Amino acid sequence: MDPVIIVGAGPVGLALSLALAAQGVPSVVLDEGPGKEEPRPARSVVLRADMAAMVERLGCTTLRDEGVRWVGWRGMRRRQVVRHLALDLGLGGTEEWSEDPAAPATPAAPLHIPQHALARGLRDAIARQKLIRLVTDARLDTVEQDRDGVVAHTRGPAGTWWRGSHLVGCDGARSTVRKLLGIRFPGRTAVERHAVAALRTELPWPGEALLHRQPPWRSAADEITARPLPDGVWRIDWLLPPRGDLVTPDALIARIRETLAGWCEGTTPPYELIDTGVHTLHHRLARRWRVDRVLLAGDAAHLLGAVGTQGLDEGFRDVDNLAWKLAHTWHHGGSDRLLDSYQSERRAAVAHRLRAADQSLPVLRGGGGLRTYLPGATRGHDALLTDGHVGRGPLGAPPAYPHSPLAPPYTGGRTPVGTPEGAPVEDVRVTAPDGTTVRLRDRLGQGRFLVLLIAPGTGVWDRRHWRGAGVMPRLDEAVRALPAKAEVLVTEAYPSAPAHAVLLVRPDGHLVAAFAGVHPAELYAAADAARGGTTEATAPTGPAAGRKRPGPGRALEAGSGVRSDTGSGVDADTGSAVGPAVGSAIGSDTGADSRSVVGPETGTDSGADRRSSTGSDTGSAVGPDRASGSGSAVGPNSGSDTGSAVGPNSVSGSGSESGSGVGAESGPAVGSAVEVSTGSDRTADIH
């Protein structure tokens, strides 16, 4: 069977290829670059504990070697410490948990790592995999699909046709795949902007992350974040005003010295400035994430990152959700419901996160007004921001999928446990089929369902004695009869679960259902629903269906219904929606497309989908976005801001982009697009 084609070799695309390989699915990763990561210490990422564990399961060793888990979180306002949290340095599991639902839980420590180190670790893991082929200097320009698979053409040293079972666009904010699919990408541009510096110094709270709001010194930003990296390096972010003067190198040095002195009792400690730049955050959400055999993931599907949300963390959640569904479809076939559930679950979860961030921004950033004077309002703001950064609450907690199309109907044998259906299960210690004791999280990502039996007392008996006793034989028989591959795990206890309860867990760790004892028929029905139900024949539904598949060396003919994205940026999105709310950017899949959500920039859509085909996007790497196209793309594949980053390792590169970024799209169907571009893109942004 043909491999899965993955377009884009950023962290999301690399992780998806490894996740598929772990489940026996071959893939081809098309990297439009040379296959090397430029070291940028100021371009770092924060991963929640569960996503860091997933990346480690994929074989990425740099998380432990070059990443740092925060030992604590410190919140300050003016000169006072208003919040201090000790963080769990484990993997976020329930080593000990309380029956009291009001008992406070220790947040799991997020992991902070430079993005180039993360990508290098993923590439090293790929080098050890025989099922993954990584192709460099391969720029996608055509995609077409038929009943049996997908065909893609790449430009490069030698134009090549690729044949795959499915294609996943992980190619960033300016996704070529998304444009070839004709999918709109509405939202808001430059929601937040931060000046960034990576420097080596000593701060008074080693290993702790800091959020300092309203610092008392003269020229400070309204909010400063400091996050540790290995070898005494810190990434410091200063929140910039939406519109303001450019941040010159001298002004940034003054900010650094004043900030360090403010934290170190008035004396600036010695420091080594390593890297600087700007971090511009956008909020966008693709209208569709799947068109037949072509799907989107990561920045190609969504952009977020304000008030503590983490864009790459959400991209890895896309991988975790999609990989097992693609693998099941690749090995066994699958109903449309299974792959459709990827869009239903993940798009709704990201939309919820975007709504929470956009509702919070006017309160947290607006200043003044009645809210400022309400008792406890400031403490509530601090708690909201803290939760976003440490992975709790609406801005940071792992997503649940309670309304998934894969959720089974309720039956009488079900029992409530401490985890709601559709939510991630707790990482309890379990006994595996080979008799070893491991964490539940260690058994995820292998493409099989987990059936967890709560059996108090099993820990004191040798496995050979209890394996054939009690309900175990009946449970083993029920699991062997399931319509999907599954394994039985046993644990001493699970939060709020009665003895002999049976939990059915998806391959990505989300709870399907919990049963009060062994109920073979109900367990079978739940597993069948979770795998998408009865297999159905799948076929493309767009205009590309039934078209003749191209052979090597034969170009595709452009279809009819030409639509151009070059020039004025006026397409079907001809309305206007101004204001802080995301609005139609995160609306229902069935909502109208006849609006343009542009946020504060009234009357123009400065987003990633529209810019002049012959224009130049100009701005400043450390400063406000001056041109209408400025700041319109983020992520590993972005390239929209011209300017200079300050500092010794700043980069002001230039290059010509020829492709779908500003191309004319010929027809709405996949595989009928031809790109023409003469624009130039230059970037020095930190993302």
Side-chain angles (χ1 to χ4, degrees), residues 185-270:
F185 197 39
R188 299 177 58 205
T189 297
V191 176
E192 283 189 349
R193 299 170 52 255
H194 297 258
V196 182
L199 50 89
R200 184 176 285 107
T201 189
E202 290 188 11
L203 293 181
W205 41 85
E208 292 187 352
L210 168 75
L211 175 66
H212 196 165
R213 303 186 70 207
Q214 301 173 357
W217 42 91
R218 178 174 54 85
S219 61
D222 288 339
E223 186 175 296
I224 308 173
T225 307
R227 287 169 284 204
L229 287 166
D231 301 324
V233 176
W234 293 80
R235 169 173 167 165
I236 303 179
D237 292 50
W238 293 265
L239 179 66
L240 298 174
R243 292 290 181 267
D245 296 334
L246 295 175
V247 180
T248 64
D250 289 342
L252 184 58
I253 294 297
R255 281 178 185 263
I256 293 172
R257 296 181 61 84
E258 190 174 44
T259 298
L260 295 181
W263 289 340
C264 300
E265 300 181 352
T267 301
T268 302

Side-chain angles (χ1 to χ4, degrees), residues 440-536:
L440 177 60
R441 189 174 286 157
D442 295 336
R443 311 304 292 182
L444 300 175
Q446 300 178 43
R448 56 177 174 243
F449 286 79
L450 305 179
V451 179
L452 180 63
L453 173 66
I454 316 303
T458 52
V460 301
W461 297 96
D462 190 280
R463 181 174 179 272
R464 69 175 181 270
H465 296 305
W466 56 257
R467 187 68 187 174
V471 300
M472 283 301 301
R474 188 166 178 235
L475 181 59
D476 279 338
E477 182 180 358
V479 170
R480 286 195 298 269
L482 292 180
K485 186 178 180 182
E487 73 171 357
V488 177
L489 303 173
V490 179
T491 185
E492 286 268 346
Y494 189 89
S496 302
H500 304 142
V502 175
L503 279 61
L504 178 63
V505 182
R506 297 188 343 180
D508 58 354
H510 288 256
L511 179 65
V512 178
F515 302 93
V518 180
H519 298 269
E522 294 184 27
L523 187 63
Y524 183 99
D528 189 52
R531 71 179 181 111
T534 305
T535 300
E536 301 168 356

Side-chain angles (χ1 to χ4, degrees), residues 124 294 327 419 543:
D124 290 345
V294 183
T419 299

Side-chain angles (χ1 to χ4, degrees), residues 73-86:
W73 174 267
R74 183 178 298 265
M76 296 181 66
R77 184 162 47 85
R78 297 185 176 92
R79 297 184 184 276
Q80 295 183 339
V81 176
V82 296
R83 186 170 297 268
H84 184 257
L85 292 176

Side-chain angles (χ1 to χ4, degrees), residues 186 285-288 343 347-348 351-352 354-355 582-593 595 597:
L285 187 65
R287 292 291 191 191
R288 300 180 65 186
Q343 171 176 303
R347 190 178 188 278
H352 176 78
L354 283 169
R355 287 191 186 97
V582 171
S584 67
I586 56 176
S588 168
D589 288 338
T590 60
D593 289 344
R595 288 176 288 173
V597 184

